[in-house]
Amino acid sequence: MAKSYIVGNWKMNQNRHELNEFFGHLEKEELNPGNFWIAPQFIHIQTCIEKTNKVPLKIGAQNCSDQTSGAFTGEISPSSLADIEAHFVILGHSERRALFNESNELINSKVKAVMGNKLVPILCVGETLEQRESNETMNVVLDQVTKGLQGVKLGAEDDIIIAYEPVWAIGTGKTASPEQAEEVHAGIREKLKELYPECGENISILYGGSVKPNNIDDLIKQPNINGGLVGGASLKAEDFMALCRAIN
Ligand code: PGA
């Protein structure tokens, strides 16, 4: 069976004071262990990792370079992330694709670089509203999955996570209905089984896009939705804990 996760994507939010409060709350309320991950801004990764001796979370990044070292001013190396014991990297988020022109080819190169450094990539895919309205959802999403995984070999199902995030549902308060999301997740599952006959059945596929404590239960009831990649609701400790409790 695919494992269930809650992954918080803090984006460019949460200052030091706010993250101290967040972790303080989780410690006080005694979050039970589970597959609960947080991606803060790069500058806070080390601080958050230090806090995981008291709170059962894994910490990762929201992006990284596809290069390991060298003259790439301003970039962050996946090997440096591995060096400070980060656990995972979110790749190909729709904000990276749209605002920073990340192509499927670059994202594929990042997936390989991240796995080469023994970090877990979370490969994000999803269609825009325009693509959904012109019935291109499945084509776009499966193309992103196929190109993102081109030449990627997996040793086990836990080596990678896929996140389906319809662009029109991110930060808008509009969640895909559980049925709409499941239709795409089931299509991704078929593609994963085709690409990875040994483990495609058990690769976790997370849903993202306005996931909240009040809609998580219906989403995770779907057979191919294995948890959430959560933006807004992961910033508030109470909401994040409610999401974690829902999947435990
Ligand atoms: P949201 O963001 O939960 O605020 O919609 C999700 C994401 O971008 O990963």
Side-chain angles (χ1 to χ4, degrees):
M1 260 226 330
K3 287 186 189 144
S4 298
Y5 294 81
I6 291 294
V7 181
N9 172 12
W10 280 359
K11 310 193 180 185
M12 205 168 71
N13 298 301
Q14 217 82 312
N15 62 27
R16 205 146 54 128
H17 172 72
E18 290 162 332
L19 79 82
N20 280 330
E21 275 196 350
F22 181 95
F23 278 90
H25 186 93
L26 265 53
E27 194 184 328
K28 195 163 110 251
E29 299 294 321
E30 296 180 17
L31 174 69
N32 287 323
N35 297 310
F36 308 137
W37 298 3
I38 292 273
Q41 298 181 65
F42 285 121
I43 197 166
H44 296 309
I45 290 177
Q46 180 85 63
T47 307
C48 290
I49 289 174
E50 282 157 17
K51 291 181 180 292
T52 59
N53 59 5
K54 297 212 175 117
V55 175
L57 290 178
K58 290 209 160 98
I59 307 298
Q62 302 167 14
N63 176 40
C64 70
S65 173
D66 67 331
Q67 302 293 321
T68 297
S69 63
F72 300 98
T73 303
E75 288 292 271
I76 304 281
S77 161
S79 82
S80 301
L81 289 170
D83 193 32
I84 62 167
E85 294 176 7
H87 187 72
F88 69 98
V89 185
I90 298 171
L91 294 173
H93 189 279
S94 64
E95 286 149 22
R96 301 287 324 163
R97 291 179 190 261
L99 303 173
F100 302 95
N101 289 321
E102 291 199 7
S103 64
N104 284 320
E105 290 67 30
L106 175 64
I107 294 161
N108 174 247
S109 175
K110 291 185 179 196
V111 168
K112 290 173 180 162
V114 160
M115 291 183 69
N117 283 286
K118 307 230 167 350
L119 298 161
V120 180
I122 301 180
L123 172 63
C124 301
V125 298
E127 82 289 0
T128 61
L129 186 58
E130 205 183 357
Q131 290 163 334
R132 174 160 284 266
E133 285 174 347
S134 48
N135 286 326
E136 289 176 59
T137 299
M138 227 54 232
N139 282 346
V140 170
V141 168
L142 296 185
D143 189 56
Q144 289 171 338
V145 170
T146 309
K147 290 184 173 149
L149 295 176
Q150 184 85 47
V152 172
K153 294 197 178 56
L154 299 184
E157 59 260 27
D158 296 345
D159 287 355
I160 195 161
I161 293 174
I162 308 295
Y164 167 59
E165 299 201 304
V167 178
W168 48 272
I170 295 178
T172 57
K174 279 190 220 157
T175 331
S177 70
E179 295 74 24
Q180 270 176 327
E182 172 60 20
E183 191 186 357
V184 182
H185 280 239
I188 296 173
R189 172 73 63 215
E190 285 314 305
K191 177 57 74 183
L192 292 173
K193 288 201 282 193
E194 179 192 316
L195 294 173
Y196 303 105
E198 349 51 66
C199 67
E201 178 78 49
N202 296 320
I203 295 173
S204 297
I205 310 174
L206 313 186
Y207 169 79
S210 300
V211 173
K212 304 272 182 285
N214 68 9
N215 58 26
I216 186 77
D217 288 338
D218 288 335
L219 287 163
I220 56 171
K221 269 186 206 141
Q222 302 296 321
N224 290 292
I225 301 185
N226 312 116
L229 176 55
V230 189
S234 73
L235 295 169
K236 294 183 219 101
E238 293 83 0
D239 286 354
F240 183 77
M241 283 195 69
L243 292 167
C244 295
R245 272 189 231 109
I247 69 152
N248 242 4

